[in-house]
Amino acid sequence: MYQNKEKFKRYYFVTTFAVIAAIVMAFGIGFVVEEHRNFEETLRINRINLLESKKETLKGVVDSVAQQVSLSIDDSERLLGERIDERLNIAYEVAMSNYNIAKDDADARRDIKAALSGMVWGNNYVFIFDTDGYVISSPIQKHLEGRNILESPNKAMRETMLSSIKKLKTAETVSAVSPWRKPDSKEVAVKHYKLRVFRPLNWVIGYGEYVDDFTLETQQKIIKQLESIKLPEDGYIFMADYNGTSLTKPAKGKLMLNIQDSDGKYIVKDMIALAKMGGGFYEYQMPPFPGLKPETKLSYVTGIKGWNWYVGTGIYLTDFENTYAARMKEARKDARKELIMMMALLSAVLAVSGVITFMMSNRMEKLINRHSKEMQRKNEELRQLNTSLETKVQEKTAELTALNSSLEQRIREEIEKNREQEHIMFQQGRLAAMGEMLSNIAHQWRQPLNNIGLYIQDIQDAHETGRLDNEYMNRSADTCLDIIQHMSLTIDNFRDFFKPDKERVLFDVNDCIRHSITLLVAGIENSRIGISTDLKAVGKVTGVPGEYSQVLINIITNAKDALINSNSPNPQIKIRSFSFNGTVTVEIEDNAGGIPAEICDKIFQPYFTTKQDGQGTGIGLYFSKIIIEKNMGGKISFSNSDSGAIFTVQLPEVAEESSYL
């Protein structure tokens, strides 16, 4: 006995410690694996975020430059106008100063002309002509002096000057734009100039600048500014026009349109196309320096409207990867330190667990000794109880066998009763629908019978008046036969609807809707209720078309009765069908005010009706729910809208090639 207890003690200690060790090791391994997975995922996400950050930086720099250039373009006209105003005002002040100190008008004319002749800036200069149009001073184009500017062969300039001189009779200054030949050149360019009348001598002092020269000057300033920008990691901003000519260093002035990378990509052509589409990122191969191996470069470019330029900058992904690798090396070093600390902690936990397990094994030995005698006593009581229990079980088994036999018979009887009750209720529903149909047939036959009676009276009148001939008789007979055939079709529709056909077939929901409306339309129209359809369902369903039509007729009839009782000023029934999420759905909506909240949970219960006695059986919606949900695997539901109730019938859409027994 003592040896068995010692064996159990050792077994308990070894087993418990092994389980604890296994749990600790499993936890440790799981923790390490999960941490490694999370670490690698973090590295991947960090790389993506770092690259996205780089891309955002590139885009921000380029978009900022493009915005500044665009602002310069938008502002160039204002700056040009301000410079023209400034120089013209200076010329006017110089002229007025010389006039004030001159002895007479002759000296004034000489001194002013001499002073203003020196005001020349490149191709731009201050010129003077009198109010009759004769040129007094033209510093760069001396041959024009003494000529009348209003006789210039340049028609546009001549007309512009004539208009300006007329305006100066009442105005102090006039601004104008016209074509103007450049000095020492046959080139004609647009010139923006301003004229100011000098009243003391009846002179006109003018100054203007060629728009293309000013634009070129602005562009050169912008290019110079871009070349002065220094980006991190030896980066730079490049700019070129849509013809492929580089405008900035390192390839300034070169035509780069046909430059290809090592993969055969036409780099500049692709960038131009990208810029024209609004800008974006472009990846290609290019050596960092001449003579080195090509590396992958990522650039962002965008277009500059107005000048047909594009601007961009980029980074070498090799530099990015090197930076990322250095960061990840430090991260992995930190992760290894954390792993070592985790393993040390697990080892400590395992040692403590061993000590606790040993103490628990000693405690367990004492508990076993204490409960051994108690277990022997309980075993004897349990043996006696088992003997008594076996006898009781045999007795109860016999009773249950007899009860099961009678219960099966009672279940079969109840099932048969329920089937008979459902059949009776179903027949009641069909009889109620049949009554509705007979009422509609009566409405549909009333007018045709009246028409036949009128035709018979007309034949009698024609016979009495001598107008009855073969042609008249045949025409009247054909018309009456057409009316009778239409009445016969009504009976056929009624007969088809109540066929006891239960075979499941593939059918079109829209056809059932149209057929049901045909059977009900007379009663609906006689009640002055409008009915409209919007049939967009394209799929087909499987089931019994007659039963499905009965469901539609039940709902439409309920809507009609609700509208009659609601006294709606414009009663309407709207029927919609559509395909949605693998179902063919039909919605029937009325504007009768909706279903009261207190009876919403009862409308599908058998024998529940809100109609007066004798006007409703209360089983129409009950069996509609059974037909749709139990027999056809669909769903029927309702909701209240702002104006009335909406009943929704959904059936699973079935492919037409499917077959059903």
Side-chain angles (χ1 to χ4, degrees), residues 407-451:
L407 184 60
E408 290 177 357
Q409 179 62 29
R410 290 169 62 188
I411 290 174
R412 285 195 294 269
E413 291 175 357
E414 290 298 326
I415 290 175
E416 186 63 29
K417 288 180 180 179
N418 288 336
R419 287 178 178 172
E420 291 178 0
Q421 185 178 6
E422 285 187 357
H423 180 71
I424 292 171
M425 292 170 66
F426 187 73
Q427 291 301 323
Q428 289 176 343
R430 292 183 68 85
L431 288 173
M434 186 179 294
E436 183 71 23
M437 296 302 101
L438 288 174
S439 175
N440 278 281
I441 290 173
H443 284 299
Q444 292 189 38
W445 274 28
R446 182 175 292 110
Q447 185 61 37
L449 288 174
N450 289 337
N451 291 341

Side-chain angles (χ1 to χ4, degrees), residues 42-101:
T42 301
L43 294 184
R44 186 185 69 82
I45 293 174
N46 285 343
R47 184 184 182 281
I48 294 173
N49 291 339
L50 184 59
L51 182 58
E52 288 300 318
S53 177
K54 286 286 187 182
K55 291 171 70 174
E56 286 297 321
T57 301
L58 293 179
K59 185 176 184 299
V61 170
V62 173
D63 287 345
S64 177
V65 170
Q67 184 179 14
Q68 291 298 323
V69 175
S70 297
L71 289 175
S72 297
I73 294 174
D74 296 339
D75 211 28
S76 61
E77 185 175 350
R78 181 184 63 81
L79 293 175
L80 176 58
E82 289 180 355
R83 192 160 77 177
I84 292 174
D85 284 345
E86 180 184 358
R87 292 180 178 177
L88 179 61
N89 290 337
I90 292 173
Y92 184 87
E93 293 299 326
V94 170
M96 185 59 72
S97 176
N98 279 274
Y99 179 81
N100 290 333
I101 63 177

Side-chain angles (χ1 to χ4, degrees), residues 360-407:
M360 289 297 295
S361 65
N362 290 333
R363 178 67 176 169
M364 184 63 68
E365 182 181 9
K366 294 178 180 179
L367 290 174
I368 291 173
N369 290 334
R370 183 184 302 172
H371 291 288
S372 292
K373 293 181 180 180
E374 184 69 20
M375 288 292 293
Q376 291 177 357
R377 187 179 64 81
K378 293 294 183 183
N379 285 337
E380 180 61 25
E381 292 178 358
L382 184 62
R383 186 186 63 78
Q384 295 176 1
L385 182 62
N386 284 339
T387 302
S388 175
L389 187 61
E390 286 179 358
T391 303
K392 292 183 179 180
V393 167
Q394 290 175 357
E395 294 175 356
K396 293 298 180 181
T397 301
E399 293 178 4
L400 286 174
T401 301
L403 181 61
N404 285 337
S405 298
S406 63
L407 184 60

Side-chain angles (χ1 to χ4, degrees), residues 271-342:
M271 286 187 177
I272 291 172
L274 193 61
K276 288 181 178 179
M277 291 188 296
F281 289 95
Y282 183 67
E283 193 172 302
Y284 54 99
Q285 303 294 321
M286 177 177 284
F289 298 100
L292 295 182
K293 182 180 178 181
E295 297 179 5
T296 303
K297 188 172 185 179
L298 178 67
S299 291
Y300 179 80
V301 297
T302 189
I304 298 175
K305 296 179 180 179
W307 287 353
N308 290 331
W309 285 7
Y310 70 92
V311 62
T313 188
I315 59 169
Y316 283 98
L317 294 183
T318 304
D319 296 338
F320 166 77
E321 295 295 346
N322 291 337
T323 303
Y324 173 74
R327 292 188 182 182
M328 294 309 102
K329 184 177 180 181
E330 292 297 323
R332 285 191 170 90
K333 186 184 295 183
D334 294 338
R336 281 195 294 270
K337 291 179 181 179
E338 292 181 1
L339 179 60
I340 292 172
M341 292 177 62
M342 182 63 189

Side-chain angles (χ1 to χ4, degrees), residues 143-195:
H143 63 282
L144 296 178
E145 293 182 359
R147 295 185 182 182
N148 194 320
I149 200 171
L150 301 180
E151 297 175 358
S152 171
N154 187 330
K155 181 180 179 182
M157 186 183 74
R158 186 174 67 246
E159 293 177 350
T160 303
M161 282 294 181
L162 179 60
S163 174
S164 298
I165 291 173
K166 289 181 179 179
K167 292 178 181 178
L168 287 173
K169 291 181 179 180
T170 56
E172 289 297 320
T173 60
V174 172
S175 295
V177 177
S178 70
W180 204 296
R181 178 174 292 178
K182 289 189 175 182
D184 301 326
S185 172
K186 294 183 178 180
E187 179 185 358
V188 176
V190 175
K191 191 170 187 177
H192 184 182
Y193 56 89
K194 190 170 185 179
L195 306 176

